[in-house]
Amino acid sequence: MNKMPLIAPSLMCMDLTKLAEQIEFFDDKVGYYHVDIMDGHFVPNLTLSPFFVSQLKKISTAPMDCHLMVTNPEQYVDMLAEAGAAMFSFHAETVNGKAFRLIEDVRKKGMQVGVVLNPETRLQDVEIYLKHIDKVTLMTVDPGFAGQSFVPEVVDKIRQFREFREQHQLEFQIEIDGSCNKKTFSTLLAAGADVLIVGTSGLFNNHPELSVAWGMMMDDIKVAALEVA
């Protein structure tokens, strides 16, 4: 059987009125919590925050990966380190001229480093610092909003990153953000995905009861893993 991917629930899609209850359910099941932080500038939306991370840290043990959809990610390093984030994932499109300095700063603060690429951003744009990265997140939708349509052109890019990793003997994880669901699981796993971010279409809309929704999702992923084994 093909190796099962890690699962990262997108917390902007959860029912925040049931935060403690849902985190208790997730905590021993997930690879990461995916925490979207948006500034209303890099993307025209506002979601979670460093304060949310600090509150989540009080009730959770699973690592938190913070996805910085912000114009100036360097402004969030200290806040997220103090809040308890495990990984700091910046957008490649925001760090030209400061990527190496940012990566060094994030590591000094005790966090792992991730880089996120919009659908049209190329491997070549981040190749120079990939050896310093713990996780590459490939967006299969435009950033900023849940529930968008899958961009199929990204599948070839997943394969490119997998092949680059093998050729250069690197160890970064390949994570997918956007439209990870029953229709796309097998395609993403076959291309080389290690981590799947699941939101409305892949998890939360499966069923009103979270335990049932999770079971349905895991069944779908197991079927997909068998298909690509």
Side-chain angles (χ1 to χ4, degrees), residues 25-167:
F25 174 82
F26 280 138
D27 228 29
D28 62 352
K29 300 175 178 65
V30 304
Y32 304 97
Y33 288 121
H34 186 81
V35 181
D36 287 304
I37 296 176
M38 307 180 191
D39 62 0
H41 186 258
F42 179 68
V43 293
N45 198 3
L46 294 167
T47 49
L48 306 176
S49 68
F51 176 75
F52 175 86
V53 174
S54 70
Q55 298 305 296
L56 181 62
K57 185 69 175 178
K58 295 178 181 179
I59 60 173
S60 69
T61 58
M64 286 176 274
D65 173 25
C66 294
H67 175 187
L68 279 298
M69 283 180 266
V70 301
T71 300
N72 297 297
E74 66 277 6
Q75 296 176 356
Y76 292 77
V77 176
D78 289 343
M79 287 187 287
L80 288 173
E82 292 170 6
M87 183 173 290
F88 184 102
S89 295
F90 60 84
H91 260 265
E93 301 82 15
T94 67
V95 298
N96 187 34
K98 56 189 175 185
F100 288 93
R101 185 167 62 251
L102 177 59
I103 291 168
E104 182 180 10
D105 193 20
V106 170
R107 291 213 182 278
K108 284 181 178 178
K109 296 300 190 300
M111 295 179 287
Q112 291 187 304
V113 184
V115 62
V116 188
L117 283 71
N118 286 341
E120 64 269 39
T121 304
R122 305 168 303 165
L123 185 155
Q124 293 91 329
D125 296 323
V126 300
E127 178 178 347
I128 193 170
Y129 53 80
L130 278 180
K131 66 181 179 181
H132 302 290
I133 296 295
D134 298 296
K135 181 160 62 66
V136 172
T137 302
L138 301 178
M139 301 287 297
T140 60
V141 298
D142 288 336
F145 296 91
Q148 298 183 71
S149 298
F150 184 80
V151 178
E153 287 82 358
V154 178
V155 175
D156 282 340
K157 190 162 66 171
I158 300 170
R159 298 190 188 101
Q160 291 171 12
F161 273 89
R162 183 193 66 197
E163 293 167 1
F164 182 92
R165 181 177 63 184
E166 293 171 356
Q167 291 168 1

